[in-house]
Amino acid sequence: PSGHTQFAFSALTFLLLTVPKYWYVYLILAFGTGFERMYAGCHFPLDVLCGALLGLTIASLTVKFTGTKIDFFEKIFNDICGKIFRKKKTEK
């Protein structure tokens, strides 16, 4: 399986379960990684599919069994992304 795709889908799953606010960004990056691996000729589609399924499974089980503190990750992520995506107010 594709390790890059596995990592991307693990990150997607973890972030979706802990900080779902920016789900569309995670989804685009994960699918983009899988597509890039096929487009570059590094993996066959089945390799990418298996990597994605493996990543989803591992991240889901990790979050389930570790009891990840969702509030902690959400606060950190919102602080970071809030600074990045916040619109700058124009001063008059």
Side-chain angles (χ1 to χ4, degrees), residues 31-64:
F31 277 101
T33 301
F35 177 76
E36 182 275 329
R37 300 312 290 166
M38 290 185 294
Y39 184 77
C42 298
H43 292 286
F44 292 109
L46 187 59
D47 295 339
V48 171
L49 179 64
C50 289
L53 292 175
L54 197 57
L56 289 168
T57 304
I58 290 171
S60 297
L61 292 174
T62 301
V63 169
K64 180 179 179 179

Side-chain angles (χ1 to χ4, degrees), residues 14 18 58-70 73:
F14 178 76
T18 56
I58 290 171
S60 297
L61 292 174
T62 301
V63 169
K64 180 179 179 179
F65 290 118
T66 59
T68 304
K69 304 267 186 200
I70 294 173
F73 287 105

Side-chain angles (χ1 to χ4, degrees), residues 3-17 30 51-60 62-63:
H4 290 88
T5 306
Q6 179 183 346
F7 174 78
F9 276 86
S10 291
L12 162 78
T13 305
F14 178 76
L15 290 170
L16 277 176
L17 293 174
L53 292 175
L54 197 57
L56 289 168
T57 304
I58 290 171
S60 297
T62 301
V63 169

Side-chain angles (χ1 to χ4, degrees), residues 19-36:
V19 189
K21 185 175 181 179
Y22 300 105
W23 64 270
Y24 51 90
V25 175
Y26 317 144
L27 201 61
I28 290 169
L29 292 173
F31 277 101
T33 301
F35 177 76
E36 182 275 329

